[in-house]
Amino acid sequence: MKLSTPLLASALLTPATAQLHALARKAGLLYFGAATDTPGQRERAPYPDSYPQYDAIFENNDEFGQTTPTNGQKWLFAEPEPRLFNFTEGDVVADLARSQGKLLRCHALVWHSQLAPWVEETEWTAEALRDAITRHIRAVAGYYRGRCYAWDVVNEALDEDGTYRKSVFYNVLGEEYIKLAFATAAEVDPGAKLYYNDYGIERPDSVKTAGAIRLVKMLQDAGLRIDGVGMQAHLHADNHPSADDLIATSEQYAKLVKEVAFTELDVRIKMPVNETKLEWQADCYQKVVEACVKVKACVGITVWDFYDPFSWVPDTFPGQGASLLWFEDFTKHPAYDRMVDTFKKLIRDKPGCKDKGKGKGKGKGRGRRTLAARGE
Ligand code: XIL
């Protein structure tokens, strides 16, 4: 066969790197995704020159088949003043997901942080706060109804010791606010998977993991629907969980809920970067891939953006950074290839997987994780 020159040229230009989502699918996951934010805002503001290269990586669905808005759907942006709803920022990423055919995880309906100031400034009666929560969820989840594969309904409701965080919501309503949020979200968008999402709930024996399990049971005892637990997985290169840890934790959640996911993965390094620390980081990313593939209930992995300059880490944790997969100059961290190799190995090793025992089985490497429940 003779290849025409333009075809050959485009084949040569296709980045050989674009494969995390494609491999995740072969390994049985529903997605590998990257969160992203509004151009020109926050961490992205100082780097407009990098957008074309960034966008080219992001838009390749073989690389990232799912996305989450890092900020736009949060209360601060979605309801900055009482009853004044604004979906401009949320729509930026939701529309990207739609136009590019990516799965959309929606984030986050009730959270103590990036809350509109008026919510914390108001002297609430229980009734008025209940109304405000219900109204907020009806408006926001209602606006995006049918477009979210999953919603992080309640985010970070636990303190470091596993007890409830003393947020404005908790201080006025106690755990009732969590029930109210899940009940309202279930009513407003019946097709979205409803998640509890938190950080520091990735290790099997942590008090916060125990707290997350209590929280899930509390909802289920009240007869409410919760479909998933999201482990944010903001991890540390120099002290990270093992694959066995992540598997054990995920399996604890999976006894209670249908799904788990790694929702905000990044692996921060204490600066400066060196080869050893990048190796620890690669090892950590590898463990997350291994755990998610090995746990049947784990639907996918989302990195909390993929380009170091756009990460929230350096601003929030001074002295730490380089937590994502592409350096500022668009070369890749070793963690990227490590994940690729890990996916490939797990695909080869997996019983019933496409590439394993050619000719045997149904020829589909996935199937256990599907979009069926979303109605797509
Ligand atoms: C971060 C965003 O990435 C930043 O841009 C923003 O300034 C602060 O929030 N847990 C969460 C995410 O659930 O929403 C946070 O995202 C990171 C921690």
Side-chain angles (χ1 to χ4, degrees):
M1 192 181 75
K2 210 175 138 223
L3 271 180
S4 70
T5 315
L7 238 183
L8 184 63
S10 85
L12 290 173
L13 285 173
T14 304
T17 58
Q19 45 191 343
L20 289 171
H21 176 71
L23 287 168
R25 295 286 296 185
K26 280 195 188 162
L29 306 190
L30 188 55
Y31 60 83
F32 192 105
T36 194
D37 205 357
T38 315
Q41 297 299 316
R42 296 167 287 277
E43 293 93 346
R44 295 185 63 157
Y47 303 97
D49 293 350
S50 64
Y51 294 176
Q53 253 180 299
Y54 175 92
D55 293 346
I57 297 169
F58 179 82
E59 75 186 11
N60 192 321
N61 284 353
D62 280 344
E63 195 77 274
F64 300 121
Q66 176 273 331
T67 192
T68 310
T70 48
N71 286 290
Q73 294 176 321
K74 292 170 179 175
W75 198 310
L76 175 63
F77 305 104
E79 193 184 357
E81 302 291 336
R83 294 183 170 82
L84 184 85
F85 293 96
N86 184 338
F87 300 111
T88 313
E89 285 225 41
D91 279 352
V92 169
V93 178
D95 290 349
L96 266 184
R98 177 183 271 165
S99 64
Q100 298 184 4
K102 291 185 192 328
L103 206 63
L104 178 68
R105 286 194 90 262
C106 293
H107 174 81
L109 291 169
V110 179
W111 188 30
H112 70 281
S113 185
Q114 289 180 293
L115 191 54
W118 65 270
V119 182
E120 288 193 291
E121 284 158 11
T122 306
E123 290 280 333
W124 295 103
T125 63
E127 202 191 341
L129 185 55
R130 268 187 223 114
D131 286 350
I133 293 171
T134 316
R135 195 174 61 225
H136 181 77
I137 296 177
R138 286 203 177 126
V140 180
Y143 179 83
Y144 289 105
R145 179 182 11 241
R147 296 179 64 181
C148 307
Y149 167 73
W151 257 114
D152 292 328
V153 178
V154 173
N155 197 35
E156 303 182 356
L158 297 169
D159 252 325
E160 309 313 308
D161 66 357
T163 64
Y164 289 119
R165 183 188 291 278
K166 311 306 174 284
S167 64
V168 54
F169 303 112
Y170 184 80
N171 290 340
V172 177
L173 293 171
E175 68 185 16
E176 187 200 333
Y177 89 87
I178 303 172
K179 295 191 233 179
L180 181 64
F182 276 85
T184 311
E187 161 204 308
V188 174
D189 191 353
K193 305 284 174 89
L194 307 183
Y195 270 65
Y196 176 67
N197 194 54
D198 210 334
Y199 66 89
I201 60 162
E202 297 85 7
R203 295 187 196 243
D205 44 12
S206 101
V207 286
K208 227 177 145 179
T209 297
I213 288 169
R214 275 198 304 276
L215 188 154
V216 172
K217 285 186 175 155
M218 177 278 290
L219 287 169
Q220 293 178 332
D221 287 347
L224 293 163
R225 172 162 76 90
I226 169 165
D227 302 294
V229 173
M231 293 167 277
Q232 290 183 5
H234 294 295
L235 302 174
H236 300 251
D238 60 0
N239 175 16
H240 62 76
S242 66
D244 284 348
D245 282 344
L246 297 169
I247 291 169
T249 311
S250 301
E251 294 293 5
Q252 289 187 46
Y253 299 133
K255 281 190 193 134
L256 302 170
V257 290
K258 280 184 282 200
E259 312 190 347
V260 300
F262 293 96
T263 53
E264 303 184 13
L265 176 61
D266 51 24
V267 182
R268 67 186 83 134
I269 283 176
K270 288 194 185 110
M271 304 306 270
V273 171
N274 62 33
E275 272 180 32
T276 309
K277 295 178 198 173
L278 287 170
E279 169 55 35
W280 295 337
Q281 180 183 60
D283 189 57
C284 182
Y285 273 101
Q286 165 173 25
K287 299 312 184 230
V288 174
V289 166
E290 189 179 330
C292 194
V293 171
K294 288 185 173 170
V295 171
K296 198 169 176 230
C298 189
V299 290
I301 299 170
T302 308
V303 285
W304 207 238
D305 224 311
F306 60 89
Y307 180 52
D308 284 340
F310 295 0
S311 167
W312 72 303
V313 168
D315 286 347
T316 317
F317 309 100
Q320 304 188 63
S323 64
L324 298 172
L325 299 174
W326 272 260
F327 292 108
E328 182 164 359
D329 65 0
F330 283 104
T331 58
K332 281 182 274 137
H333 288 223
Y336 178 94
D337 285 333
R338 192 67 56 82
M339 286 198 285
V340 166
D341 292 346
T342 307
F343 274 128
K344 287 182 175 167
K345 178 177 183 311
L346 290 164
I347 290 164
R348 280 196 306 271
D349 292 354
K350 244 171 79 157
C353 231
K354 204 174 181 171
D355 297 16
K356 169 116 179 167
K358 282 197 184 84
K360 279 200 247 147
K362 298 231 164 54
K364 283 263 183 276
R366 50 186 141 89
R368 61 193 177 139
R369 291 170 255 223
T370 68
L371 278 176
R374 175 72 261 189
E376 267 101 323

